Amino acid sequence: MLSRADDLAKLTVLDEHGTAIELASLWRDQPAVLVFIRHFG
Amino acid sequence: MQLHREIDTIRAAGAALYVIGNGTPSFIVGFREQTGYAGSIYTDPSLAVYKAAELKRGVLNTFDPRALGKTISALSRGRRQGRTQGDPWQQGGVLVIAPTGEIRWHHVSDRPGDNATADDIVAALPDARPISA
């Protein structure tokens, strides 16, 4: 079970324009809830 | 109650909610059109984030016998599934992460329909709330 997000923090996701977003920025200012969906399309 | 109908509850508790999918960036537009969701959404086509979040089992377990049974019964009635199979909101998992980097809650959906609820998520949020919340 994961306890720290350190490995995740370095990774990036893409927005709809293809711009890379650093994952750590999502929880820097407030708690973040990441909902991973199974299908996409 | 489906989680996406309770997003306001999570926001009111002081958290930001992000949906993360795994298609190409152009699929984000289609997801918004299909679901009406206007909030933050990103994609992880390499599945690197899914793997680091230890969600691989949940995501790759789509061919659960229970789900397969539904597919077979749908096909036997002459209906074919389109490009999107099932509920577009079907979860692979949920992470709740504090600003300290602590993972407060980690839910892996191990079969379709095994979805986190807003109550689960709000209970996992850190006590400290932003003043603006």
Side-chain angles (χ1 to χ4, degrees):
Chain A
M1 184 64 80
L2 291 175
S3 60
R4 297 275 315 165
D6 303 339
D7 289 342
L8 287 165
K10 297 172 279 187
L11 299 175
T12 57
V13 287
L14 303 177
D15 69 11
E16 56 209 277
H17 307 294
T19 305
I21 307 291
E22 184 195 18
L23 215 54
S25 69
L26 304 187
W27 56 83
R28 189 169 289 144
D29 297 327
Q30 75 292 300
V33 178
L34 308 186
V35 177
F36 293 85
I37 55 175
R38 192 182 294 253
H39 294 297
F40 205 160
Chain B
M1 182 66 82
Q2 292 281 323
L3 175 62
H4 59 278
R5 300 195 188 110
E6 300 181 87
I7 289 171
D8 288 346
T9 304
I10 293 166
R11 289 185 180 140
L17 186 138
Y18 303 96
V19 173
I20 298 179
N22 52 70
T24 64
S26 64
F27 278 121
I28 292 176
V29 176
F31 183 87
R32 288 193 193 283
E33 287 175 356
Q34 187 176 2
T35 64
Y37 174 73
S40 299
I41 178 166
Y42 299 112
T43 186
D44 173 38
S46 70
L47 291 176
V49 178
Y50 278 69
K51 286 172 186 164
E54 299 182 357
L55 300 177
K56 195 175 175 185
R57 177 172 59 91
V59 173
L60 296 183
N61 201 20
T62 301
F63 296 107
D64 174 283
R66 281 161 286 203
L68 191 60
K70 287 178 186 171
T71 302
I72 290 170
S73 64
L75 286 173
S76 69
R77 290 195 300 271
R79 289 197 288 122
R80 284 186 166 273
Q81 294 194 336
R83 191 162 51 100
T84 299
Q85 297 186 5
D87 179 1
W89 283 104
Q90 192 178 108
Q91 290 173 20
V94 173
L95 290 184
V96 177
I97 305 174
T100 58
E102 178 195 5
I103 294 180
R104 303 277 305 187
W105 196 62
H106 183 211
H107 176 79
V108 177
S109 302
D110 61 5
R111 64 179 190 281
D114 176 24
N115 293 332
T117 68
D119 285 347
D120 295 332
I121 290 166
V122 170
L125 292 173
D127 289 335
R129 304 276 190 263
I131 293 169
S132 60

